[in-house]
Amino acid sequence: MSAPPSATGELERTVDHAAAAARFVADDAKAHWHDQALWWVRKKRDAASAAVPDWEALRDAAAGLKAHTLSRLGDYLDEFARNAEARGAHVHFARDAAEHNAIVHGILQERGITRLVKSKSMLTEECHLNPYLEARGVTVTDTDLGERIVQLRHEPPSHIVLPAIHLKKEEIGELFHRELGTAEGASDPKVLTEAARQHLRQRFLEAEAGLTGVNFAIAETGGVVVCTNEGNADMGSTLPRVHIACMGVEKLVPRREDLAVFLRLLARSATGQPVTTYTTHFHGPRPDGELHIVVVDNGRSRQLADPVFRRSLSCIRCGACMNTCPVFRRSGGYSYGYIVPGPIGSILGPARDPAGHRTLPFASSLCGSCSDVCPVRIDLHHELWAWRKELVKRGLLPWRKRAAMKLAGAVLRFAWLYRLAGWVARRLVPALPRRLAYGRWNAWGRQRELPPMPRQTFRQLYRSHRDRS
Amino acid sequence: MTAREEMLAAMRRNAPRETPRPDLARLGVKFADPAAKFAESLQGVGGTCLRVPDLAVAGRAVAELPVRQAAKKVVSLVPEVEPGNLDLAAVKAPRELEGLDLTVLRGELAVAENGAVWVDAQLLPHRAIFVIAEHLVLVVDAAGVVNDLHEAYARLAGRPAAYGLFISGPSKTADIEQALVIGAQGARSCTVLLVG
């Protein structure tokens, strides 16, 4: 499932969500378990948000702050870069993934660094930094426990906050037995976490540079903020001398006080915690060290120009939309074939490559649950629907769907044709041999039985009732 | 054009019409007893809060902690509470700190809403001491308890931006089947002494 290593970082393959989801649900027990695991996180989020009396006001403020920041993004980025430089950080600018990867590699190469520890960064996943560096002789260790697990399995994360949510503890036990030498059959999360702690400590102590993502960048002060529960970003940024922080331009907030709004929302939305264990504010390097901040565009400024889809740039990557999405919970993160899965990923993926990700906006029931939980009030289900229209306009729908829609359009346009079709179906369908009725053309009937054909139409029923009254 | 100029230009060119910055003044929560709420929040995230009247009692409380009694290497930046036994001036590289059992630090603010303590780490002799230690004790003045993060940042606003962090309980993870495990990479326990 892992994405092809490339310098550009663009994922240029076509994803068929329904086919990938079918593979996931083939393991019925595991699919149900996945659904329940995420639903539990969703319930924790509900309890945490309900305990905050000004929750809705916070969401309004967060949405407003993001909209304001996006409307002045160039100014804030300029302000941020100047302030960060004044504090002694090196600020690098990358137009795309290839530039980002080259900058990170350049920093390491100039200093002869071959051992890098990383804390979680979806941006570096987006840029496919790991394979790029590994191909150039750098040993990269992901240090978030979930990320380390999927890295050892040579898989990308299946969820942006819970990277290994698709795995059972027995599978992780087997992996650790093979890779870290834990006892065979050991699957207690405590035992496995302890083994990972010891293993990762060695990596932290040996590392010459630490790379972290950025949750927020403050224009007013030139600082960056990183949130983790494990403290892996803190180990990685305090033990090695060189700290590289990579961020997309959308991570900016205007002022330090704005952090209060986002920090009160982020962890509660993500895992139901009041705040992450560590919320670290970096302003400049440590006295004997270096701080490099790599600011990446990679299509974001283009997305900013789009009046409908620019709001998805407000995303703070909490993952709440995934945990609540009935399709994500039942189809797994990998079925999306994009770095960010779920509702938000189904908007971001097509923005990057509409043809390759054309099935994603259909991987939604449009129930609106994602929009209801989004802490920054992104109108996710509206954007998914807007993407569907856009894909039709661009002629990117498969011919089957196009033909079916055309046919449905024609039938619905003429009342007589609709009545005729109903009349024919009521007589024809019960008479058809099963093999024909559930043929390849009947996608709906693959998972379910067709309802029994009613004797009366709704129209007849309605008329007879009205005549009676 | 450099990448910097090009990116700034693209963002200015593509930006929507300016929308005003929202007013944050009305946000926030108030608790009847913020210190009690802080203790409750900290417990909820796996930490322990001890209320003590003064630094002398704080010192006795730390001495009685099982993690202190079991500790061999202790770094303390609050000597009036805990003398410590590791001379940081002799530590050249932070990786020499591996094996540190306990760190005692001063926290400046305690946030009732989420059990977090603000630690200004700008002047720490080695920044790693708060995360590499097996156990952590934070000493906070009771006057430093605020209701929520809005109040916390308002108090920090008067000071220069520094290297600092909110610490809310011990290090933890739930990456294996969502089972909460305390002691992922950083401190395995976090005790906060609220003084006064």
Side-chain angles (χ1 to χ4, degrees):
Chain A
M1 244 351 270
S2 81
S6 84
T8 63
E10 292 293 329
L11 249 151
E12 294 296 353
R13 85 204 144 87
T14 304
V15 181
D16 183 347
H17 177 270
R23 286 194 291 279
F24 182 81
V25 293
D27 187 344
D28 189 55
K30 194 163 176 185
H32 276 98
W33 171 80
H34 187 265
D35 172 28
Q36 288 305 310
L38 286 163
W39 185 246
W40 187 59
V41 183
R42 153 76 209 258
K43 284 199 288 195
K44 285 202 293 181
R45 172 258 165 219
D46 287 353
S49 62
V52 177
D54 54 344
W55 185 257
E56 295 304 322
L58 270 179
R59 291 175 75 201
D60 286 335
L65 280 169
K66 281 290 179 183
H68 166 71
T69 311
L70 290 176
S71 73
R72 290 191 47 198
L73 197 54
D75 297 338
Y76 283 129
L77 180 57
D78 197 16
E79 183 186 353
F80 166 77
R82 281 185 283 111
N83 285 329
E85 281 163 345
R87 294 182 189 281
H90 301 273
V91 185
H92 307 261
F93 289 78
R95 278 167 285 218
D96 54 29
E99 276 190 359
H100 163 265
N101 292 349
I103 289 166
V104 173
H105 180 237
I107 296 166
L108 302 176
Q109 197 179 26
E110 270 171 42
R111 290 155 187 79
I113 294 173
T114 57
R115 281 170 302 196
L116 177 72
V117 280
K118 269 179 70 201
S119 76
K120 192 151 57 194
S121 151
M122 293 319 294
L123 176 68
T124 61
E125 293 287 338
E126 174 185 322
C127 296
H128 301 300
L129 178 69
N130 287 19
Y132 177 90
L133 291 179
E134 277 156 4
R136 285 155 185 81
V138 179
T139 307
V140 181
T141 306
D142 279 320
T143 59
D144 170 86
L145 177 56
E147 290 243 309
R148 185 63 182 145
I149 291 166
V150 293
Q151 188 185 32
L152 288 171
R153 285 172 59 95
H154 309 287
E155 281 174 353
S158 83
H159 185 291
I160 61 170
V161 175
L162 318 160
I165 188 76
H166 60 298
L167 296 172
K168 306 204 82 162
K169 57 181 194 260
E170 289 78 16
E171 294 172 277
I172 298 166
E174 273 172 45
L175 177 76
F176 278 19
H177 171 62
R178 205 165 59 235
E179 301 284 341
L180 307 181
T182 49
E184 195 166 3
S187 65
D188 178 359
K190 257 191 207 159
V191 172
L192 299 178
T193 301
E194 183 63 31
R197 177 184 174 103
Q198 301 305 333
H199 158 72
L200 289 168
R201 283 224 159 197
Q202 284 315 307
R203 296 296 176 99
F204 282 122
L205 294 167
E206 291 160 5
E208 302 153 293
L211 186 147
T212 67
V214 169
N215 290 94
F216 305 99
I218 316 157
E220 174 191 43
T221 63
V224 294
V225 178
V226 183
C227 308
T228 73
N229 279 322
E230 297 180 10
N232 53 322
D234 296 285
M235 292 288 276
S237 57
T238 57
L239 288 167
R241 215 181 55 79
V242 179
H243 174 196
I244 305 170
C246 299
M247 59 175 270
V249 293
E250 80 283 13
K251 296 290 178 184
L252 280 161
V253 300
R255 303 186 199 171
R256 181 161 49 178
E257 69 191 67
D258 300 331
L259 293 172
V261 174
F262 292 109
L263 292 173
R264 290 182 68 204
L265 290 166
L266 178 64
R268 288 185 172 99
S269 298
T271 58
Q273 294 169 253
V275 71
T276 47
T277 302
Y278 301 92
T279 306
T280 311
H281 303 51
F282 297 90
H283 285 93
R286 71 186 206 206
D288 61 335
E290 297 172 43
L291 172 62
H292 296 266
I293 302 170
V294 188
V295 186
V296 183
D297 186 326
N298 206 29
R300 288 163 174 76
S301 61
R302 205 175 54 226
Q303 203 183 331
L304 187 62
D306 191 306
V308 179
F309 301 116
R310 73 164 60 102
R311 276 189 295 262
S312 54
L313 282 172
S314 305
C315 175
I316 56 173
R317 301 290 190 266
C318 67
C321 61
M322 292 160 211
N323 303 339
T324 200
C325 177
V327 178
F328 180 92
R329 283 189 275 119
R330 289 166 179 81
S331 61
Y334 292 146
S335 63
Y336 294 80
Y338 186 63
I339 313 109
V340 179
I344 184 67
S346 300
I347 296 165
L348 300 175
R352 173 137 317 180
D353 170 17
H357 300 112
R358 62 179 172 236
T359 62
L360 299 190
F362 296 91
S364 164
S365 58
L366 298 187
C367 64
S369 186
C370 47
S371 306
D372 285 344
V373 298
C374 178
V376 290
R377 288 203 199 281
I378 300 173
D379 51 345
L380 289 142
H381 71 296
H382 280 119
E383 295 203 12
L384 288 166
W385 175 68
W387 256 122
R388 293 184 184 184
K389 288 203 293 187
E390 188 62 33
L391 292 167
V392 171
K393 229 192 286 172
R394 296 192 194 188
L396 287 171
L397 239 50
W399 71 266
R400 259 171 214 277
K401 213 166 233 173
R402 263 199 331 260
M405 287 297 160
K406 269 242 153 64
L407 187 68
V411 171
L412 292 172
R413 195 160 336 129
F414 303 103
W416 64 268
L417 188 55
Y418 179 79
R419 283 202 294 271
L420 178 69
W423 189 85
V424 171
R426 278 196 310 281
R427 275 149 194 82
L428 188 62
V429 173
L432 278 179
R434 199 176 161 80
R435 220 154 26 92
L436 262 176
Y438 290 86
R440 281 175 58 82
W441 60 275
N442 184 2
W444 192 87
R446 257 176 238 157
Q447 278 90 17
R448 21 172 140 58
E449 289 293 306
L450 290 168
M453 290 292 139
R455 270 211 310 257
Q456 261 188 322
T457 64
F458 176 75
R459 189 184 161 84
Q460 288 163 342
L461 202 67
Y462 180 75
R463 282 215 167 136
S464 68
H465 271 261
R466 210 173 48 172
D467 289 348
R468 232 179 292 154
S469 62
Chain B
M1 270 208 290
T2 62
R4 179 178 189 148
E5 289 162 350
E6 217 174 284
M7 281 167 61
L8 292 179
M11 276 175 255
R12 288 184 170 127
R13 192 173 56 239
N14 293 348
R17 208 159 50 87
E18 185 169 341
T19 56
R21 191 176 175 285
D23 180 18
L24 311 183
R26 260 182 268 166
L27 296 170
V29 278
K30 294 272 178 281
F31 299 101
D33 182 351
K37 176 66 188 175
F38 170 77
E40 182 196 319
S41 298
L42 181 61
Q43 195 185 0
V45 294
T48 308
C49 180
L50 301 174
R51 304 279 296 270
V52 289
D54 54 42
L55 288 177
V57 181
R60 286 202 292 280
V62 170
E64 281 168 20
L65 287 176
V67 293
R68 172 64 191 92
Q69 288 169 355
K72 293 190 181 72
K73 280 200 222 174
V74 180
V75 163
S76 174
L77 292 174
V78 199
E80 52 280 40
V81 168
E82 159 64 46
N85 59 21
L86 186 72
D87 179 15
L88 278 173
V91 175
K92 282 186 216 70
R95 59 196 64 171
E96 292 168 30
L97 291 164
E98 171 60 2
L100 179 62
D101 294 303
L102 176 68
T103 295
V104 183
L105 287 176
R106 200 170 258 292
E108 297 184 36
L109 296 170
V111 186
E113 185 194 14
N114 58 23
V117 171
W118 175 260
V119 176
D120 185 335
Q122 182 78 8
L123 297 174
L124 293 186
H126 286 290
R127 290 180 174 185
I129 55 171
F130 73 84
V131 70
I132 201 169
E134 296 284 305
H135 300 279
L136 189 60
V137 169
L138 299 170
V139 183
V140 188
D141 211 338
V145 180
V146 295
N147 281 292
D148 57 27
L149 284 172
H150 306 286
E151 280 182 30
Y153 280 111
R155 288 226 196 161
L156 293 173
R159 290 189 247 171
Y163 172 69
L165 73 161
F166 287 108
I167 301 177
S168 176
S171 160
K172 50 190 148 306
T173 183
D175 272 343
I176 299 175
E177 276 198 21
Q178 288 298 292
L180 182 70
V181 180
I182 304 282
Q185 323 254 356
R188 296 174 193 269
S189 76
C190 176
T191 309
V192 178
L193 292 162
L194 219 46
V195 186

